[in-house]
């Protein structure tokens, strides 16, 4: 099999060379690129006649796939896959797998970090210090005793629940599939929104979750509530969220993911919203998660070649 890695995956060249050597031992070839492009024509040129292509969160549509006549398997080195034209893949017998699980710890930890930073307003307090001021009477809020509402209890949602439970939180959950975990209270979305002090999103992007958080759902939240999104950008209506924040209908938001990958346009509504911590999509990005991702990708490709597809999307 001819395999191509279309972009760098945040790992060392040594790790890539080890993977390349391992594939070659089994009579496969691996080409890899150390630069990133989002141009579908360039991606198709890089793919060439490869049987298997690897990419992370670069959008690929029919324009790309139609030029890759020999492509049989797309390995998405990412958890989300809404950037891939799955309908084309289904119609043209192109298998697709993701790399679910590689960033569970990383995303859970940054979710906790965002909650703590919002509660203690660390951004503003740092700015106070750097402008030669003190806390100006500011009092923060403790996490212990708060009610966390998790929307989506997959592997990341469950990891988040366990971290917040360790900090003494009550945990509510709303999810399509419920887990048998004694310390979590499953409830309706409306009840979760009404009772939660912190709302954390951990659902995939689908037509059903498009703008799940919108003006109507935000109006159900406590005015003292915090919203954290480390899931997918389009799960939240950014204009509605910015409006709620600026009108003091929500106390704050920690956002790591947007409708498009950063850099954001200068008129993006959240850039001027009050009481936010905005990150440039870094929740998944740790040294440990990148190495784990490479391991998952390597195993997934080998298993697909052996007819045992894992993390199957298509």
């Amino acid at each position: 099999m001819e395999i191509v890695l279309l972009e760098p995956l945040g790992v060392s060249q040594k790790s890539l060379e080890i993977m390349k050597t391992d594939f070659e031992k089994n009579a496969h070839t691996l080409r890899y690129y150390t630069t990133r492009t989002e141009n579908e024509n360039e991606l198709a040129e890089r793919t060439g006649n490869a049987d298997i292509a690897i990419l992370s969160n670069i959008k690929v549509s029919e324009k790309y796939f139609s030029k890759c006549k020999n492509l049989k398997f797309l390995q998405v080195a990412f958890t989300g896959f809404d950037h891939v034209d799955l309908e084309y893949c289904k119609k043209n017998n192109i298998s697709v797998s993701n790399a679910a699980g590689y960033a569970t710890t990383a995303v859970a930890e940054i979710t906790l970090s965002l909650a703590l930073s919002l509660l203690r307003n660390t951004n503003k307090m740092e700015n106070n210090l750097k402008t030669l001021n003190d806390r100006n009477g500011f009092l923060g809020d403790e996490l212990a005793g708060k009610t966390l509402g998790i929307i989506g209890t997959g592997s990341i949602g469950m990891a988040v629940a366990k971290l917040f439970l360790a900090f003494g939180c009550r945990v509510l959950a709303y999810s399509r599939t419920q887990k048998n975990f004694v310390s979590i209270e499953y409830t309706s979305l409306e009840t979760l929104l009404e009772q939660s002090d912190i709302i954390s999103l951990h659902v995939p992007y689908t037509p059903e979750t498009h703008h799940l958080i919108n003006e109507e759902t935000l109006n159900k939240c406590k005015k003292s509530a915090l919203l954290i999104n480390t899931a997918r950008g389009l799960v939240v209506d950014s204009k509605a969220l910015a409006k709620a924040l600026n009108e003091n209908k929500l106390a704050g938001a920690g956002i790591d993911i947007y409708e498009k990958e950063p850099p954001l346009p200068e008129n993006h509504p959240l850039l001027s919203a009050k009481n936010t911590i905005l990150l440039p999509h870094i929740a998944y990005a740790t040294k440990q998660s990148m190495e784990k991702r490479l391991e998952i990708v390597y195993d997934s490709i080998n298993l697909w070649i052996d007819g045992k597809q894992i993390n199957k999307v298509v």
Side-chain angles (χ1 to χ4, degrees), residues 18-34:
I18 290 171
M19 185 169 73
K20 180 180 179 180
T21 300
D22 286 344
F23 278 130
E24 288 173 350
K25 288 177 182 176
N26 293 299
H28 307 302
T29 62
L30 172 67
R31 289 184 289 112
Y32 62 83
Y33 291 84
T34 56

Side-chain angles (χ1 to χ4, degrees), residues 113-132:
S113 171
L114 284 168
L116 290 168
S117 296
L118 287 166
L119 288 168
R120 304 301 289 270
N121 210 342
T122 54
N123 281 4
K124 183 177 180 180
M125 291 302 101
E126 181 186 29
N127 185 64
N128 279 8
L129 183 71
K130 288 184 175 180
T131 53
L132 306 183

Side-chain angles (χ1 to χ4, degrees), residues 7-11 55-57 75-79 99 102-103 284 288-299:
E7 57 170 311
L9 291 183
V11 297
L55 55 72
S56 62
N57 60 341
Q75 175 62 57
V76 180
F78 211 65
T79 302
Y102 80 95
Y284 69 97
Q288 294 81 4
S289 67
M290 295 299 98
E291 290 294 339
K292 186 172 183 180
R293 173 167 70 168
L294 191 66
E295 292 174 13
I296 292 172
V297 165
Y298 174 74
D299 290 341

Side-chain angles (χ1 to χ4, degrees), residues 24-271:
E24 288 173 350
K25 288 177 182 176
N26 293 299
H28 307 302
T29 62
L30 172 67
R31 289 184 289 112
Y32 62 83
Y33 291 84
T34 56
T35 58
R36 178 182 168 100
T37 178
E38 296 186 7
N39 183 290
E40 291 190 82
N41 290 326
E42 290 181 31
L43 290 168
E45 287 178 10
R46 290 183 177 191
T47 303
N49 292 317
D51 304 280
I52 299 169
I54 309 163
L55 55 72
S56 62
N57 60 341
I58 299 173
K59 184 175 181 178
V60 280
S61 66
E62 181 177 351
K63 180 179 179 180
Y64 163 76
F65 288 113
S66 63
K67 294 176 187 242
C68 305
K69 302 299 184 183
N70 204 43
L71 189 65
K72 303 175 184 67
F73 180 48
L74 180 69
Q75 175 62 57
V76 180
F78 211 65
T79 302
F81 42 80
D82 51 283
H83 54 291
V84 176
D85 188 340
L86 299 180
E87 288 305 313
Y88 185 93
C89 293
K90 290 174 185 175
K91 291 176 184 176
N92 292 274
N93 298 315
I94 300 172
S95 300
V96 181
S97 287
N98 70 348
Y102 80 95
T104 298
T105 299
V107 176
E109 288 183 355
I110 210 159
T111 300
L112 177 65
S113 171
L114 284 168
L116 290 168
S117 296
L118 287 166
L119 288 168
R120 304 301 289 270
N121 210 342
T122 54
N123 281 4
K124 183 177 180 180
M125 291 302 101
E126 181 186 29
N127 185 64
N128 279 8
L129 183 71
K130 288 184 175 180
T131 53
L132 306 183
N133 287 303
D134 59 16
R135 66 184 177 89
N136 288 332
F138 170 75
L139 291 174
D141 226 336
E142 294 180 2
L143 183 57
K146 295 289 187 293
T147 296
L148 170 71
I150 296 177
I151 300 178
T153 53
S155 59
I156 294 175
M158 290 300 292
V160 169
K162 291 172 185 176
L163 286 178
F164 279 77
L165 285 167
F167 275 74
C169 293
R170 173 193 180 204
V171 177
L172 301 179
Y174 170 77
S175 187
R176 182 179 59 184
T177 304
Q178 298 187 8
K179 302 288 178 64
N180 185 18
F181 195 79
V182 67
S183 299
I184 295 177
E185 304 170 48
Y186 280 93
T187 185
S188 67
L189 178 60
E190 183 172 1
T191 298
L192 182 147
L193 295 172
E194 290 173 349
Q195 296 189 12
S196 296
D197 300 302
I198 303 163
I199 299 159
S200 190
L201 306 177
H202 301 286
V203 291
Y205 176 68
T206 66
E208 292 73 30
T209 62
H210 177 80
H211 286 182
L212 178 68
I213 302 301
N214 52 47
E215 186 169 6
E216 181 183 356
T217 50
L218 286 167
N219 283 336
K220 297 180 186 297
C221 300
K222 297 179 179 181
K223 290 185 178 181
S224 59
L226 306 173
L227 177 73
I228 299 173
N229 186 14
T230 57
R232 305 303 290 162
L234 284 167
V235 173
V236 175
D237 181 340
S238 292
K239 289 182 180 179
L241 175 58
K243 183 173 182 285
L245 290 163
N246 289 332
E247 294 179 356
N248 298 317
K249 293 180 179 179
L250 200 71
I255 309 295
D256 181 59
I257 184 73
Y258 310 88
E259 302 85 351
K260 66 179 289 293
E261 285 296 302
L264 298 178
E266 61 181 345
N267 63 345
H268 193 282
L270 289 176
L271 293 177

